[in-house]
Amino acid sequence: MTALLGRRAAAAIAAAVATAASAMAMVLGTVAPAYAADAASGDKGATAAGYHAPGYRHGLAAPRLVVCAKDAKSRVARLPAALRAVNEALLRECAYDTVQEAVDAVWRRGTTIYLLPGVYRAESVTIVGGAGPECVRCDLQLEGMGERPEDVVIDGGRNRVFAIRAEYANGLYLRNLTAQRYSGTAVEVVWTDGFVLDRVTGRWNGSHGLAAVAVDHGVVADCTATGNSGAGIATVPVSRVAGTRPAVEVRRCRSSGNLIGYAGGDSVYVHDNDFFGNAVGVSADGQGSPAGASWQSHGSFIANRVYGNNLNPYPNVWSGRCAKPPRDRPRDLVCPTMAVPMGTGLLLAGGEQNTYAGNLIYDNWRAGATQYGYARGNRWLGNLTGFDPAGNPAPNGLDFWWDQTGERNCWQDNASSWGRIRSTPPQLPDCAHPSAGGVGSNAWRTTAACAAYVPATASTPNGSRPANCPWLDEPARPAPG
């Protein structure tokens, strides 16, 4: 039996990989050739429109400014020799105690600000750019100089709203730092054309870890997001792109222990990430979006690992723990800002023309993937459900749940540890015979009931649990078939 299971899992994995490659080619074929070339080469997101996500400035760039925390000297002494030598040279140039002072001192476009290792406490850094060549804070690079993102920490102590907020900061590049313990979103980029968040960590925040709103030509890469009461990563790109090319790419990130691992908007390309241990792994319906995106379309979710999203943070509300002032809570306490169907890997509500291909989806106790709300034109292709990366069975409660509404939806070449896809309804339309629409089940009745959820506040210290909201019932762990 074990050998048979191993062969079956290996065959399913091989089929899923092949389908994912085919789907990837199809997705890239629908966008600009320049983007396709960049995606294949691993470049930082150039597009046919002539705009680019900014490139990284290697070495000690000029012009530059240097910021040193109070504990910088002792932390530099503990670095590996080569990196220690670079930091010791920068120590001699240190002219600023706070990040905001350095940002305010920028006088020339294309400046790099180096943050030496240490903890920068109670900082809220605002970066405001502008339009045209006279924008001195455009093409700004802000880089932590530690060995890891955790070596440079911007800590709000739960008394500040945000760590870094960048507005109209075209060409922004943030690299190798951690933002933690803010009552709102740790790092937020808004109204910006061209940005990169590279090896940035957002953890233990009252809203989102990393967020990008009304942006274009953006990349979020190799990031970490954990313990956030909203989404670990949230993006709401500009709507004018309408699927002609990706507006934001999210790749090789790890998002865990949040209410939602990733919440996204229009024209996103999300691939090769790990979303695990959240209440919901990926939400593509505006839930968790900082700007409350009214609609969602043209997302590509390729080759992600979406697993074990069974976090139940709601007892933190019912018990009154979330009613304490933020500064008095445990640093990793998640206090959910909304009701979500915990135990769900991928959630799609009302979205259009999305592609989910070659994802590894397992151990999500409610459902591997859920689609509802008159969603249209979505494709679920070659996803492998219910197997972990070693080929061991780790079933979802259901592999797919669909409310049977919306036209042009299809499910094809997906494989399951159950031997066949376990879904509601039992038979899903394939791409040769996509859905034709219909009344379906009334999922909106559930969403309306769950929308009455009230988080913990001073006036409602134990929150308010809505009646007839099954999302807040912790699902049972499914036994392997």
Side-chain angles (χ1 to χ4, degrees), residues 151-441:
D151 291 339
V152 175
V153 175
I154 304 176
D155 188 297
R158 295 278 193 178
N159 294 316
R160 297 295 184 99
V161 178
F162 62 85
I164 299 173
R165 179 178 170 87
E167 304 176 9
Y168 303 99
N170 300 341
L172 177 69
Y173 201 112
L174 298 183
R175 187 172 191 268
N176 197 35
L177 55 84
T178 293
Q180 65 183 36
R181 299 202 306 158
Y182 284 82
S183 63
T185 295
V187 177
E188 187 169 23
V189 182
V190 299
W191 298 110
T192 292
D193 190 355
F195 74 92
V196 174
L197 304 183
D198 178 10
R199 296 180 64 207
V200 176
T201 294
R203 62 188 182 186
W204 313 326
N205 299 291
S207 185
H208 311 296
L210 311 174
V213 182
V215 294
D216 200 0
H217 303 104
V219 175
V220 183
D222 300 299
C223 72
T224 300
T226 188
N228 298 290
S229 293
I233 308 162
T235 66
V236 185
V238 293
S239 59
R240 68 174 182 267
V241 174
T244 57
R245 57 171 174 79
V248 174
E249 178 182 4
V250 180
R251 65 182 186 229
R252 297 192 305 270
C253 289
R254 292 175 60 84
S255 185
S256 65
N258 311 286
L259 183 65
I260 302 172
Y262 168 81
D266 289 322
S267 303
V268 295
Y269 174 35
V270 180
H271 66 99
D272 297 288
N273 302 285
D274 286 272
F275 302 112
F276 63 99
N278 308 285
V280 169
V282 174
S283 174
D285 71 328
Q287 285 193 346
S289 298
S294 59
W295 203 251
Q296 187 279 331
S297 65
H298 298 95
S300 296
F301 300 87
I302 311 294
N304 300 289
R305 291 158 297 279
V306 184
Y307 58 96
N309 291 289
N310 305 304
L311 177 69
N312 182 3
Y314 295 98
N316 298 335
V317 177
W318 317 142
S319 67
R321 297 179 72 202
C322 289
K324 295 180 180 180
R327 65 180 179 274
D328 296 333
R329 300 174 191 166
R331 67 183 187 182
D332 57 349
L333 185 72
V334 173
C335 294
T337 53
M338 63 183 70
V340 299
M342 57 181 171
T344 303
L346 295 145
L347 176 65
L348 173 62
E352 295 187 353
Q353 302 184 63
N354 297 283
T355 298
Y356 296 82
N359 298 291
L360 189 61
I361 310 167
Y362 63 94
D363 193 32
N364 303 288
W365 298 351
R366 188 180 302 273
T370 291
Q371 177 179 308
Y372 68 89
Y374 297 92
R376 299 173 176 87
N378 301 291
R379 301 172 297 176
W380 300 83
L381 309 173
N383 299 287
L384 182 61
T385 69
F387 287 113
D388 69 15
N392 301 309
N396 303 296
L398 286 172
D399 294 319
F400 296 100
W401 187 94
W402 174 46
D403 70 348
Q404 302 179 64
T405 64
E407 64 272 9
R408 305 188 317 279
N409 299 298
C410 67
W411 289 256
Q412 187 163 307
D413 296 325
N414 302 292
S416 172
S417 61
W418 300 110
R420 62 184 301 275
I421 293 296
R422 182 174 288 190
S423 64
T424 296
Q427 298 296 326
L428 296 168
D430 63 23
C431 295
H433 309 89
S435 64
V439 176
S441 63

